[in-house]
Amino acid sequence: MARYCPGFETDSMFEVAKAIKDRCFREDLSIFSDEKVWTKDNARSLLDLYTNNIDKGEGGYLEKMESQIEGTSPEQCQLMAEMNYLLVLPQSNISSGKKIEIVETILKWCGKSVDRDAVWFSDDALQGAFNPGLAYNTQRWRELLYLMRIVAALKSLTTEKREAILSEPWGFSNWLIEIDQEGYRQFQHVIKFLFFPESFERVVSLAHKRDFVARHLGIAAPEFSDMTETELDMYLLKAREQYEKAHPGVPFDFYEHGDAERAAVEEQDAEYAVEAPPGFQSEYSLNVILYGPPGTGKTHHALRRAVRIADGEAAKELDKHQLKSRYDALVEDGRVAFVTFHQSFSYEDFVEGLKAKTVDNTIRYFIDKGIFQNIAEKAQADPKNGYVLIIDEINRGNVSSIFGELITLLEPSKREDASDAVSVILPYSKKPFSVPSNLYLIGTMNTADRSLVHLDTALRRRFTFEEVLPKPSVLEALPKIEGIDIAKLLNTINQRIAVVYDRDHTIGHSYFMPLGDMKEPKISDLAAIFQNQILPLLEEYFFEDWQRIRQVLADDRKPQGVLPIYSQAMSDQDFYRLMGDDWQGARSIVWERNHQALASPETYKSIYE
């Protein structure tokens, strides 16, 4: 069974979890008293109130919650406190004092207090059993919402149906799958482990579960795509049972035995022996360049793909905040690295080179590994996981010089352990080097800087290319600012740019995305985007070809009374007053931005109407 958690005495925690299942989920009783708190009406009312006020309040998790559940009954407020208790119960990365503080804070809102001497609040009960990771804390409100839905759904069932679900682990797991998670929620793994520790592991990451199954049972990555969470847990249990049968009386934990012992896959008994697990596999290309105009989200796409390569299917359910948290964690772990190419970037920075260092007033030289060699060596040492190097602005560097002889090694067939594997001797360290098959390269390229035609031929042969174009449609969800349709605005501007210039110099939708993060975006916010980003970009594209800039913005055919974005800096009278009536040269026109126009909604509407 999975009750064994190295470093933790979990008996008290599981006793509390059993009491919660029996008192709260089976019955309607409180965890802390004999009051009826976990009722259908309380669960439904609390869920509706929290959902309707999800954006209410400011500050941290508890500060917002106080505003979100304002007006609830004392019983509903206590239910909220007890649900939060259940959320943090198994966490080892939160102290027992902090857990009590969370419950105590919520109970104070309804005039109640915590009995710190009760078994529910003992250090033994609250020491936890695992660290669920950063996202579980930063997205706790989502986990709470999922728990609320679980309770509301369970309480709406008949007593018989509820009892059937809570009595059988696999039935409970299948029932949880039906509850809306709004993405991917870790609490589904948490509650299964707490309520049925004989059947479920203390593993709250889908990616980790798949990794353990692959390692211990040799199941290949593609098989996971059609596997439910319940089936995955069944395979974990099978691996555990095989190990325990072969090692009677020896406690087993997947994290403790992750690599040191291959558990059920190295048994002497042929009945339990399986093939060695395959190397790392992913649906994505080993070498890819995401290319497109500025502002299309190429770097964001690269970060998202890096997380998906590392974590597989589970990463596809992450929202943007979870995605960034997971990306930062992968960078911290060394599984993802990020570098930006520029004109001064060299082979010595990327692969290896000589660096000077002063030792005892003497300059000495030593060999320093570059970012590519560092992550390649990490990937070689950990072949079962995917590693990713993101190269931003790959076209701004001298690719032939930066990659040097390693450009050949990037080909899938030339990778380490491939059919035509190739290695080279590095020029400084004189050591053999090859590129592992679990190292993925993601480049980004701004087509406004350089088109694909001008890319190094060797690079083009070894990378696949995916175009990332502007998507004005994603702006359709933005609120109209004084009647301005942002999606139509961008779409029309890009259509004109494609006509008078080319598609490589269109404008990405991401410039306008900050408007979606504002509660009530104003015309001044849109004006700031034009003033600081869109207009400078157009001026750079067309290099003072004011006629074409004005065509893009429809300044040359604004309706009567609508201000153009660019206007003449001086009238004819002012020009000849400045230059003199005897001026013999051409009458040049100086254009300037009309800040007054940027504050007028009609100026923007006239671009697409």
Side-chain angles (χ1 to χ4, degrees):
M1 61 179 63
R3 288 175 178 268
Y4 170 65
C5 302
F8 303 100
E9 295 292 335
T10 56
D11 289 346
S12 295
M13 182 191 72
F14 285 124
E15 287 176 9
V16 170
K18 184 179 185 304
I20 293 173
K21 183 167 70 168
D22 292 340
R23 292 173 60 86
C24 306
F25 280 66
R26 281 195 165 98
E27 305 294 336
D28 294 337
L29 297 175
S30 161
I31 305 174
F32 310 139
S33 69
D34 290 330
E35 297 177 77
K36 286 204 167 185
V37 170
W38 292 67
T39 65
K40 174 183 175 181
D41 289 343
N42 283 345
R44 188 73 255 175
S45 297
L46 194 59
L47 174 61
D48 290 343
L49 184 66
Y50 191 74
T51 303
N52 292 334
N53 293 327
I54 202 73
D55 294 322
K56 187 178 179 181
E58 297 180 353
Y61 175 74
L62 291 177
E63 293 171 310
K64 285 176 65 72
M65 185 185 294
E66 185 173 11
S67 299
Q68 290 163 337
I69 66 170
E70 187 178 7
T72 56
S73 68
E75 292 77 17
Q76 291 163 3
C77 180
Q78 182 168 340
L79 176 58
M80 178 61 88
E82 296 187 6
M83 284 184 176
N84 275 272
Y85 174 86
L86 177 55
L87 280 178
V88 301
L89 173 63
Q91 286 189 253
S92 62
N93 57 325
I94 297 181
S95 68
S96 57
K98 183 62 178 179
K99 294 177 183 179
I100 295 172
E101 180 185 329
I102 291 170
V103 176
E104 199 168 42
T105 298
I106 301 173
L107 286 178
K108 282 181 180 178
W109 301 337
C110 54
K112 299 190 177 185
S113 60
V114 166
D115 179 4
R116 288 177 172 257
D117 294 327
V119 64
W120 324 107
F121 299 112
S122 67
D123 288 338
D124 287 342
L126 293 178
Q127 65 176 289
F130 55 80
N131 180 347
L134 178 64
Y136 191 79
N137 279 342
T138 59
Q139 299 294 309
R140 187 182 298 162
W141 68 272
R142 294 184 185 275
E143 305 292 344
L144 173 62
L145 187 57
Y146 177 53
L147 171 56
M148 288 181 174
R149 291 196 178 108
I150 292 173
V151 176
L154 190 71
K155 295 298 179 178
S156 67
L157 302 175
T158 63
T159 303
E160 292 76 15
K161 180 66 174 175
R162 191 190 315 169
E163 178 60 30
I165 289 172
L166 290 171
S167 298
E168 204 278 316
W170 310 118
F172 181 68
S173 179
N174 285 330
W175 178 79
L176 281 178
I177 295 173
E178 299 174 5
I179 307 299
D180 182 16
Q181 300 185 43
E182 284 193 356
Y184 169 72
R185 301 274 71 81
Q186 290 178 277
F187 187 71
Q188 63 169 316
H189 306 294
V190 172
I191 194 170
K192 288 190 290 188
F193 169 68
L194 287 175
F195 283 6
F196 299 98
E198 292 79 10
S199 302
F200 299 100
E201 301 294 329
R202 64 173 188 135
V203 183
V204 299
S205 162
L206 195 60
H208 287 188
K209 286 188 175 184
R210 288 172 172 169
D211 181 58
F212 288 137
V213 168
R215 294 186 188 196
H216 292 271
L217 296 180
I219 293 178
E223 296 183 44
F224 292 128
S225 59
D226 297 323
M227 192 180 295
T228 67
E229 285 90 343
T230 302
E231 291 168 336
L232 189 61
D233 285 318
M234 286 179 172
Y235 277 114
L236 277 175
L237 182 59
K238 179 181 178 181
R240 167 178 289 282
E241 289 172 344
Q242 289 179 358
Y243 179 89
E244 290 176 343
K245 183 175 181 179
H247 302 86
V250 178
F252 172 78
D253 175 75
F254 277 100
Y255 285 110
E256 187 176 51
H257 291 74
D259 281 319
E261 293 187 37
R262 290 283 305 286
V265 301
E266 292 183 349
E267 307 305 335
Q268 295 179 355
D269 189 340
E271 179 182 354
Y272 302 108
V274 297
E275 295 178 2
F280 181 81
Q281 298 179 32
S282 172
E283 63 185 284
Y284 297 104
S285 300
L286 278 170
N287 310 315
V288 64
I289 290 178
L290 307 176
Y291 71 98
T296 54
K298 296 180 291 296
T299 304
H300 174 75
H301 280 283
L303 268 56
R304 182 171 61 189
R305 179 168 297 194
V307 175
R308 288 183 177 181
I309 288 171
D311 290 350
E313 289 291 320
K316 293 184 178 180
E317 303 298 333
L318 300 180
D319 62 28
K320 66 178 182 180
H321 302 294
Q322 293 172 310
L323 185 77
K324 186 57 170 64
S325 295
R326 181 57 184 150
Y327 170 80
D328 290 340
L330 289 168
V331 172
E332 182 71 22
D333 291 343
R335 289 182 60 192
V336 174
F338 186 100
V339 64
T340 300
F341 278 6
H342 49 80
Q343 290 86 345
S344 301
F345 202 76
S346 67
Y347 178 93
E348 287 72 19
D349 299 312
F350 193 59
V351 184
E352 69 172 16
L354 292 177
K355 296 291 175 70
K357 187 177 182 180
T358 301
V359 179
D360 296 331
N361 295 322
T362 302
I363 296 178
R364 298 187 178 181
Y365 293 89
F366 64 97
I367 298 171
D368 185 49
K369 295 177 183 178
I371 188 169
F372 182 68
Q373 186 179 168
N374 273 321
I375 194 168
E377 290 181 351
K378 290 176 183 177
Q380 286 169 329
D382 183 18
K384 298 182 184 67
N385 284 313
Y387 284 71
V388 183
L389 175 61
I390 299 173
I391 306 174
D392 203 30
E393 307 283 2
I394 192 170
N395 55 310
R396 294 185 63 232
N398 185 331
V399 173
S400 297
S401 174
I402 293 171
F403 278 95
E405 72 281 4
L406 302 190
I407 193 74
T408 302
L409 276 59
L410 298 181
E411 294 180 28
S413 62
K414 304 294 192 299
R415 298 282 187 114
E416 191 174 80
D417 298 326
S419 57
D420 299 318
V422 174
S423 64
V424 298
I425 301 298
L426 295 176
Y428 292 96
S429 62
K430 306 302 180 184
K431 293 180 179 178
F433 179 81
S434 58
V435 179
S437 296
N438 60 328
L439 175 58
Y440 291 72
L441 272 66
I442 305 174
T444 70
M445 172 180 163
N446 190 336
T447 53
D449 293 337
R450 182 185 296 183
S451 72
L452 291 178
V453 176
H454 300 108
L455 269 187
D456 184 90
T457 303
L459 183 73
R460 279 191 286 163
R461 283 181 45 230
R462 291 170 173 87
F463 280 76
T464 59
F465 290 81
E466 295 181 19
E467 191 172 29
V468 184
L469 291 173
K471 289 186 178 179
S473 59
V474 304
L475 304 177
E476 291 175 357
L478 295 180
K480 286 184 169 58
I481 302 175
E482 298 190 34
I484 302 169
D485 189 321
I486 307 297
K488 283 185 179 180
L489 176 67
L490 177 61
N491 190 49
T492 303
I493 288 175
N494 281 339
Q495 286 177 336
R496 293 198 181 113
I497 291 175
V499 170
V500 302
Y501 199 166
D502 59 32
R503 196 176 66 168
D504 287 343
H505 289 78
T506 49
I507 296 172
H509 52 274
S510 63
Y511 289 111
F512 298 91
M513 294 301 288
L515 296 173
D517 297 328
M518 302 175 186
K519 288 186 176 180
E520 294 182 7
K522 301 179 178 60
I523 189 73
S524 58
D525 300 314
L526 180 59
I529 291 173
F530 265 78
Q531 180 73 22
N532 300 324
Q533 295 176 297
I534 306 303
L535 299 184
L537 201 57
L538 291 175
E539 291 168 8
E540 177 187 339
Y541 284 174
F542 296 107
F543 194 63
E544 297 190 355
D545 187 339
W546 303 105
Q547 184 59 33
R548 287 204 287 174
I549 295 176
R550 297 183 74 243
Q551 288 172 347
V552 168
L553 299 172
D555 271 1
D556 57 340
R557 50 194 181 91
K558 287 279 192 283
Q560 185 72 25
V562 177
L563 297 172
I565 294 178
Y566 286 93
S567 59
Q568 293 188 33
M570 63 180 69
S571 64
D572 288 346
Q573 183 179 1
D574 291 337
F575 178 83
Y576 288 109
R577 183 184 301 118
L578 176 69
M579 303 306 298
D581 293 334
D582 58 347
W583 170 256
Q584 298 298 313
R587 162 68 168 98
S588 58
I589 300 176
V590 179
W591 297 93
E592 65 180 2
R593 297 179 192 175
N594 186 345
H595 299 287
Q596 187 178 356
L598 294 175
S600 170
E602 299 308 316
T603 296
Y604 300 98
K605 292 178 189 177
S606 67
I607 293 176
Y608 60 83
E609 287 181 344

